[in-house]
Amino acid sequence: MPQKGSPSLKVLLRHSAIQRRIRQMGAQISRDFRDEQIHLIGVLKGASIFLADLVRQIRVEVSLDFMAVASYGKGSQSSGQVRLTKDLDTSIEGLNVILVEDILDTGLTLSYLYRVLQQRKPKTLRIAALLDKPERRIKEVKADYVGFQIPNEFVVGYGLDYAERYRNLKDVCVLSLSPE
Ligand code: IMP
């Protein structure tokens, strides 16, 4: 996590590169589920922008739902205890589900959500994450579709926030807060 101080933003992934990669991910998903329907589940709020772009690159029939989670623990350091603050609107039994997340960091959130969804008997369950910070992994989680692997830096923009700020940036940027 960034320390308190004056913020500086450095572009890590430009909007154009993100869009290019999402087109490829959409094409891959469309190939994998040719002649099938898929149900995308976005994890609020960070994945909302990624999901909005991804869904428009998918060429098979798609339905959408959303979940929201909160993690217990100090500040933004995940404690590993995750709880649902918004559940799905409808059953996923028998559906091809893709869980869509902004970033795979320690893996605690996605491993929890994967377990919860698996218990609901989907036909298939896959994970799509725009970003992956493999160095930070605590829980083994395998994402089936990954946009970019990134170094162990705190990033904001394109849906990702720091204290609810910066979600509206078009690029993904590294945020550093230098001490004042
Ligand atoms: P995990 O449970 O540690 O994998 O964390 C996943 C969640 O932590 C993400 O959905 C984000 O909300 C948040 N997160 C992890 N790394 C970052 C980051 O670099 N910037 C903004 N949010 C992050």
Side-chain angles (χ1 to χ4, degrees):
M1 279 305 296
Q3 299 305 302
K4 246 183 145 40
S6 49
S8 95
L9 292 169
K10 209 171 102 226
V11 174
L12 180 69
L13 300 167
R14 289 215 177 273
H15 183 71
S16 53
I18 297 170
Q19 294 306 314
R20 206 177 314 126
R21 184 69 187 115
I22 291 176
R23 278 199 294 277
Q24 295 170 345
M25 295 173 85
Q28 178 72 54
I29 290 170
S30 306
R31 275 196 299 276
D32 291 354
F33 290 93
R34 197 177 32 223
D35 303 325
E36 304 241 18
Q37 297 179 8
I38 51 182
H39 191 63
L40 292 187
I41 297 179
V43 184
L44 296 171
K45 304 169 199 167
S48 55
I49 293 175
F50 171 44
L51 183 139
D53 284 341
L54 181 65
V55 71
R56 287 176 289 176
Q57 299 299 333
I58 293 176
R59 298 285 162 247
V60 298
E61 203 173 313
V62 172
S63 51
L64 298 181
D65 207 343
F66 294 92
M67 292 179 117
V69 288
S71 70
Y72 297 100
K74 289 203 185 89
S76 339
Q77 278 304 337
S78 202
S79 63
Q81 288 176 286
V82 182
R83 88 193 141 89
L84 281 186
T85 55
K86 186 218 169 294
D87 205 340
L88 299 174
D89 290 339
T90 54
S91 164
I92 58 166
E93 193 170 338
L95 303 182
N96 292 309
V97 171
I98 303 181
L99 185 54
V100 180
E101 180 57 307
D102 52 1
I103 187 164
L104 180 49
D105 187 28
T106 62
L108 295 167
T109 307
L110 275 177
S111 65
Y112 168 80
L113 288 176
Y114 192 91
R115 215 169 47 244
V116 166
L117 295 181
Q118 194 66 73
Q119 284 164 1
R120 299 181 186 185
K121 302 186 171 58
K123 181 178 173 192
T124 59
L125 178 56
R126 294 194 179 183
I127 291 177
L130 178 68
L131 306 174
D132 179 15
K133 281 196 241 178
E135 282 172 57
R136 293 256 306 161
R137 201 77 85 253
I138 293 173
K139 276 261 178 179
E140 194 52 51
V141 178
K142 207 192 108 5
D144 303 278
Y145 308 100
V146 172
F148 302 89
Q149 288 206 341
I150 62 167
N152 184 11
E153 306 264 22
F154 194 82
V155 289
V156 294
Y158 197 73
L160 290 134
D161 76 308
Y162 173 60
E164 293 302 324
R165 292 180 64 193
Y166 307 113
R167 290 194 198 274
N168 56 326
L169 299 179
K170 288 191 167 194
D171 305 320
V172 169
C173 300
V174 173
L175 176 72
S176 21
L177 297 180
S178 47
E180 277 161 287

